[in-house]
Structures are given as C-alpha cells and as structure tokens.
Amino acid sequence: MNYDAIVIGAGMSGLAAGIRLAMFDKKVVVLEKHSIPGGLNSYYQRKNRQFDVGLHALTNFIKKGEKGKPFSKLLKQLRLSYDDFKLHPQTFSKIQFPETTLKFSNEFELLETEVREKFPQDFENFLRLVEKVKDFNELSLDIGYSSSREVLKKNLNDELLIEMILCPLLIYGSAWEEDMDFAQFVIMFKSLYFEGFSRPEGGVRTILSLLMKKFEDAGGEIRFRTPVQEILVENNEVVGIRTDKEELRAKIVLSSMGYPETVKATPALAEKISPRSGHMTFLESIFVFDKKLPEQSTITFYNNASTYSYRRAQNFFDPTSAVVCYPDNYEGIQEGEGTVRITYMANYPQWKELSREAYLGMKTKVGESALDLIKKLNPTFNGELLFQDIFSPTTIEKYTWHQNGTVYGSTDKTRDGKTPVKNLFIIGTDQGFLGIVGSILSGISMANLHGLMQSGDA
Ligand SMILES: Cc1cc2nc3c(=O)[nH]c(=O)nc-3n(C[C@H](O)[C@H](O)[C@H](O)COP(=O)(O)OP(=O)(O)OC[C@H]3O[C@@H](n4cnc5c(N)ncnc54)[C@H](O)[C@@H]3O)c2cc1C
C-alpha cells in the first residue's frame, strides 16, 4: 500500500498533522498502537464515571475573536470554530510557597499586581523581564538551548521570585531537570501567564472528537491497535513502515512516538544518533467527593520549601510539591460532585522494580499523602470520598510506550523536526512543542513544513 504520508501516533500532534495533510488531499494514514486516540491526554471510564487521563487545563486561552495567538492559529489551520470547544475559563490559579502566594489569571494584570505587592523591590526588574519575553521569538526553529535560570538570575534579584515564576512553567512543560530551555520558558510564560487556562466542556473527549471528525471528514485513514514495529529506510531515505502484519510505503513519515523511541524503531537511525530519554514523569491521583471543595482557585501550584526542586523524585514520589487541580473551579461549572487531581513528581526506575503487591502498597501511600494535602489546603472540608484512582509512571509507559514513562519527552529536541534520515520527521513533544495546544501546533507546523511546503500546498 502506498501513501503520501504515514503519521505514527494518534495523540494531539499526530491527529493535527493528519488533518493538515488530508485537507490538502494527501493520501495519509495515522497508525496508533492503542485502541483509542489521545496518547498522553486520553480518557477512560471507571464505575460509570468518565475521566480524562491528563487534562488539568487547556493553556493559551483566548477570548472569542482574538487573533494572532497560538490558539487562534490552531483554529484557523484546522478550520475549527471557537464555539466547538465550549471553553470555561479558569477563576484564578496560585503559586503557593511557605513564604507567600502569587495569584494569576487569564488577565496578566493580576500577576503584575501580585508581584508589585509581594516583591516591590524587584517589580521594575520583573517588568523588564516581561518585555524581554514579549520580544523573544520562541518559534524560531534554529535556536539552541540556553538556561532559563541563568537568564532569570541576570534579570531578577529575589531568589524566591525566580523560584515562584519557574514553578508552574517547569512542571507544565520542562523535559530538563531543575531548569528549562529559555525558548521553552518563553513559550510557557506566554501560554500560562499572558494567556492562561480554560477547560473544554466534556474534557479531553471534546477536543479529541473534534480532531477525529475533522480528520475523517477530510478523507484521512486511521488504524488503531496498529503498532509500528520498524521504520523502513533505503539509501538513507525513509520508504515506509512495518507492522506485525504488513509493510506500508510512503514518501514521508511523521513520528510522534518520541525521539528516542523513533530511533529505536529505525535501525538506520540508531547507527547515527542516540537522543536521551527524559527523566520527568509523574503520578496522577484523582479524587471525587460528594460536594465541591471550599478552595476557589482552579489550580494551586503547591511547594512546601523556599526553593522549587524540579527533578526525578528521590524516593518513589516527592510530596514536597504538587499541582492541585480543581476541575470544578472553572467558570460556569454547575455545582455537584467535587473533583481534585493531584500531580506529584515520581521516579520511574523505582516504580518499575516493584512487585505487584508492593506497587499496590505504594499507590496506597500516594493516596494517603494526596488526601492529607487536600485536607491541609481545605481544612474545613468534610466531604465524603466517593472514588479515587491513581496512575503511576508505569501506567503512562504501558499506555503510551514512552520510555521511562516520560511525559515531556527527551532532553534532545529537534526543533525543525528533521532527523538524519531523509523524509523521516519528529512531531509533537520531542520536536519541542508540548502540552495539548503545543503538540497540536507542532503537528500542524511540521505537516506544513515537511509535507505541504515541499509540494507547494501550504
Ligand atoms: C498526567 C498528565 C497530565 C497532563 N496535563 C496536561 C494539561 O493539563 N494540559 C496540557 O496542555 N497538557 C497536559 N499534559 C501533556 C500533554 O498531554 C502532552 O504534552 C501531549 O498530549 C503530547 O502529545 P504528543 O502528540 O506529542 O504525544 P503523545 O500523546 O505521546 O502521542 C503519541 C502517540 O503515539 C502512539 N505510539 C507510540 N508508539 C507507537 C508505535 N510504535 N506505533 C503506533 N503508535 C505508537 C502512542 O500510543 C500515542 O498515542 C499532561 C500529560 C500527562 C501525562
């Protein structure tokens, strides 16, 4: 079977790339190992309740009609309508350290006011940093790594302010431990602090069903339960892929499996490069209570120390810090049950080593720790716990096939998507744009650059 393009993976980036190619009448097939779409941001059902695997927040919020922003680009390129997403904006979020708390919302003025009040001596410096962020072209495909901490130290004096600004940006998007690439910092700063959070009604299913319908309407083909076992190369040029049943030929292959995972599946690449697997993986706990919790923030970035330690947990999981998300605290959500999601940094090799019994015991410990944190943050709450679920780095690995259960991928990104093999491209997290909006934009831009520009279609 011959295709113009094969896309590996039906996560956000794979579906978006597939849509762009199919829209321009390319013969494209998306191959997905799992039985459902979504990848790292999929969905499941337990005891008649619908859950999102990962969704805390859709970043890059815009109001209807706003132009020139990442989310408006996404709508335009995929020909989707703003109203289809049924977005509920956040109330506000906060960064909570023992010394102080900084609130932010979808209006940047709130964060400015908070910094002026709590860090008056550094406020002018903060404003200069904001200008630097505004002027930086984070979308350039040829910028190399530079340390965000170094840039922040040159611009700000207060170490606590540096830690607090970095905390949400690292945990929502850094493949690097303790630091992040400055281009990635700028992407995250704009998407979290300038633009902000919202949640589509119906959660991640809403996004995925919009993408799936668009892809199928454009004439794309999708195959689930179809693991790609090898990416085929002849004379250093990609020619197709092999599954356990057949070989499919194509002019280009776009892979969202991850860079190290793609190299592993491509013997011709493995001879040339060995991108590293990232260490950052997480534990995600979900609790449902019989009523809403008193906390008003949508997301609390909690850290129980003066410095923010963003790295693989030393001991299975690190309860010193957590992301605490209250999905009912988006505007316009009806009163009802109260859901809380808690994310801890975790240690994949340790979880991988556990026997079944020890694994269940460790999950119980995580659940107890997370419930203690909920109580600490909501001391007056007396709701009854109706349901809880916890998934670990090995669950992430099991359902997404990312080595180390990594969520933000390799520390070796390939910003132009190119690999040493001609016409084999990396899309999604390891191209360098991550999160839901980032991965979708990665799929779009890599399909445009490598699938459409070459043939003059984009
Ligand atoms: C717990 C958690 C919470 C998160 N919360 C948020 C959030 O609130 N907001 C946000 O914006 N982002 C969030 N993210 C991050 C976001 O989900 C990811 O950045 C994004 O979904 C990555 O998309 P992708 O297309 O790059 O890769 P993936 O989603 O990893 O897609 C890759 C796909 O390739 C498939 N695949 C792998 N190997 C093969 C193979 N050999 N053959 C065929 N198919 C294969 C996988 O099954 C997968 O479907 C969260 C992630 C997690 C895990």
Side-chain angles (χ1 to χ4, degrees), residues 97 145 148-149 152 162-181 184-185 188-189 192-193 280 282 301 307-311 323 345 407-408 434:
F97 277 46
Y145 180 92
S148 302
R149 280 195 185 275
L152 287 170
I162 294 177
E163 297 295 320
M164 293 184 81
I165 289 173
L166 274 172
C167 164
L169 311 188
L170 287 168
I171 189 106
Y172 267 9
S174 180
W176 300 270
E177 292 179 285
E178 302 292 11
D179 203 348
M180 70 201 299
D181 179 18
Q184 182 65 16
F185 172 90
M188 299 302 294
F189 195 102
L192 268 67
Y193 296 146
M280 290 317 297
F282 306 102
F301 296 89
T307 51
Y308 182 58
S309 176
Y310 179 74
R311 61 189 153 89
V323 185
M345 286 172 237
V407 172
Y408 298 138
L434 41 77

Side-chain angles (χ1 to χ4, degrees), residues 7-15 30-42 52-60 172 197 204 223 225-230 255-258 261 265 281-284 299 325 330 341 343 391 396 398-402 405-408 427-431 433-440 442-443:
V7 178
I8 307 176
M12 300 292 168
S13 63
L15 289 173
V30 173
L31 306 174
E32 168 56 52
K33 196 165 178 173
H34 202 359
S35 53
I36 51 171
L40 285 162
N41 230 306
S42 195
D52 293 334
V53 170
L55 184 68
H56 285 198
L58 197 62
T59 57
N60 303 86
Y172 267 9
F197 299 142
V204 80
R223 299 192 199 171
R225 295 189 186 87
T226 307
V228 170
Q229 295 194 326
E230 186 179 338
S255 170
S256 69
M257 291 157 71
E261 294 82 351
T281 186
F282 306 102
L283 275 152
E284 182 80 4
I299 301 178
C325 173
Y330 283 94
R341 309 181 65 110
T343 311
F391 64 84
I396 296 177
K398 184 171 168 195
Y399 289 104
T400 68
W401 297 276
H402 286 294
T406 182
V407 172
Y408 298 138
I427 60 170
T429 307
D430 281 347
Q431 183 260 322
F433 298 159
L434 41 77
I436 296 169
V437 175
S439 305
I440 292 177
S442 168

Side-chain angles (χ1 to χ4, degrees), residues 182-344:
F182 187 65
Q184 182 65 16
F185 172 90
V186 171
I187 291 176
M188 299 302 294
F189 195 102
K190 290 180 177 172
S191 59
L192 268 67
Y193 296 146
F194 286 169
E195 291 157 22
F197 299 142
S198 68
R199 181 184 155 82
E201 206 168 295
V204 80
R205 285 173 175 80
T206 302
I207 305 172
L208 289 172
S209 54
L210 286 172
L211 297 179
M212 286 286 293
K213 182 166 181 338
K214 198 44 103 177
F215 180 59
E216 281 162 2
D217 287 353
E221 178 189 345
I222 190 159
R223 299 192 199 171
F224 291 101
R225 295 189 186 87
T226 307
V228 170
Q229 295 194 326
E230 186 179 338
I231 297 172
L232 304 172
V233 176
E234 286 169 12
N235 300 322
N236 202 41
E237 183 166 352
V238 84
V239 292
I241 61 91
R242 181 176 59 73
T243 69
D244 56 351
K245 294 193 187 71
E246 61 185 328
E247 279 188 13
L248 302 177
R249 311 285 284 190
K251 292 178 196 145
I252 64 169
V253 172
L254 303 169
S255 170
S256 69
M257 291 157 71
Y259 203 3
E261 294 82 351
T262 302
V263 170
K264 203 171 163 198
T266 317
L269 256 188
E271 288 166 10
K272 297 177 199 283
I273 49 166
S274 48
R276 291 162 291 185
S277 281
H279 287 164
M280 290 317 297
T281 186
F282 306 102
L283 275 152
E284 182 80 4
S285 316
I286 302 160
F287 301 91
V288 182
F289 297 93
D290 63 343
K291 57 184 174 188
K292 272 178 90 164
L293 289 93
E295 174 62 51
Q296 297 294 303
S297 70
T298 304
I299 301 178
T300 299
F301 296 89
Y302 166 84
N303 185 46
N304 196 16
S306 305
T307 51
Y308 182 58
S309 176
Y310 179 74
R311 61 189 153 89
R312 178 151 81 184
Q314 302 273 299
N315 195 12
F316 293 94
F317 68 101
D318 185 355
T320 318
S321 68
V323 185
V324 187
C325 173
Y326 302 88
D328 308 298
N329 288 354
Y330 283 94
E331 282 174 15
I333 304 285
Q334 301 301 315
E335 290 281 331
E337 293 179 337
T339 303
V340 190
R341 309 181 65 110
I342 298 212
T343 311
Y344 284 135

